Amino acid sequence: MPEPSRWHVPVLADQAVEALVWRNDGSYVDATVGDGGHAEKICERLAGGGRLLALDRDPEALERAADRLNQYKDRVIFVRASFARLDELVENAKLGPISGILFDLGVSSRQLDEPERGFSHRLKGPIDMRMGPDTETPAATIVNEWPERELARLFRVFGEEPHAASIARSICQSRSRRPLTTTSDLVEAIGRRGTRPEKTLSRVFQALRIAVNDELASLKRVLELVPDMLERGGRLVVISYHSLEDRAVKEWIRMEARGCICPPIVPECRCGHFPRMRTITRRAVVPTSQEIAENSRSRSARMRVAERL
Ligand SMILES: C[S@@+](CC[C@H](N)C(=O)[O-])C[C@H]1O[C@@H](n2cnc3c(N)ncnc32)[C@H](O)[C@@H]1O
């Protein structure tokens, strides 16, 4: 077990837990428990029958979180699973209506810093990027087998990368000489692009990670399940680290907070849509400059909060 100082530093921790835990005897879900930093702060606030369902796709993360939360073990249920079927997991855990759900999306610092996971373009390792054993296809399959056009689309859509087409071409040229097996092969194939080559590498790696782990689709799917799981007054807290996720969360909350969604030309409402959530954060909450100085990985974080009506 690594030193606790090498644990992932939870981002926007006080703000997230303050927004999430509004009753100390409630049932909560940390859908991305990671190293358990947020979960520990949630547990500190629980009392009476307060419980926490702690999930992660990554078995190692779950083990570390269980170790960290040992003193709260009577309150916490650990499950290794993707949050995509959160409704079933909550039902199996017999927690009843949920008082709050936290999503702290993406990968942890520990996952990023392990070369053998292949998440970082700065560390040499296999081109893997799977968050857990429930994911079959490593990123190497995508970079070595997808057609050039599909790769370009992936980098454009999930990486928002302006050089998507030429990067895809260059990867296909490299792999025609020999398959790309390590992150260093991939970095070399991408080459140095634009004025900020590091940014390009991050965007390409991000796009691959999103595709490998089906991240955006899982997020959109689970958001649809949230209103039926939350009790009245229950809180949804989402911390995201790139604009695609943040946009999906923002748009979903905006839609759920609206009543009628019929087009303005329709004389009377036919949609039957009614608001199920209330926006708590009109603008995304971002880390302070002090938090960014202490933990540079927090710099892209954006937190949004909504409440069940
Ligand atoms: C940013 S870290 C969370 C860190 C955590 N809040 C802490 O304080 O240590 C994100 C975690 O979410 C997990 N994860 C990502 N997508 C997931 C999914 N669909 N289902 C379950 N866990 C997921 C990752 O394996 C990773 O451990």
Side-chain angles (χ1 to χ4, degrees), residues 8 10 31-38 55-58 61 81-83 104-108 111 131 218 241:
H8 173 90
T32 52
V33 72
D35 276 5
H38 287 101
L55 306 179
D56 206 291
R57 264 179 147 168
D58 180 345
S82 166
F83 55 61
D104 179 21
L105 299 167
V107 279
S108 68
Q111 290 167 325
M131 282 183 189
S218 304
Y241 296 87

Side-chain angles (χ1 to χ4, degrees), residues 11 25 27 46-47 54 62 66 74 101 110 136 152 174 205 217 220 262 309:
V11 172
D25 61 347
S27 294
L46 296 182
L62 218 54
D74 296 341
I101 307 177
R110 183 186 53 76
E136 280 173 17
S174 296
F205 272 63
K220 289 179 181 172
C262 292
L309 291 170

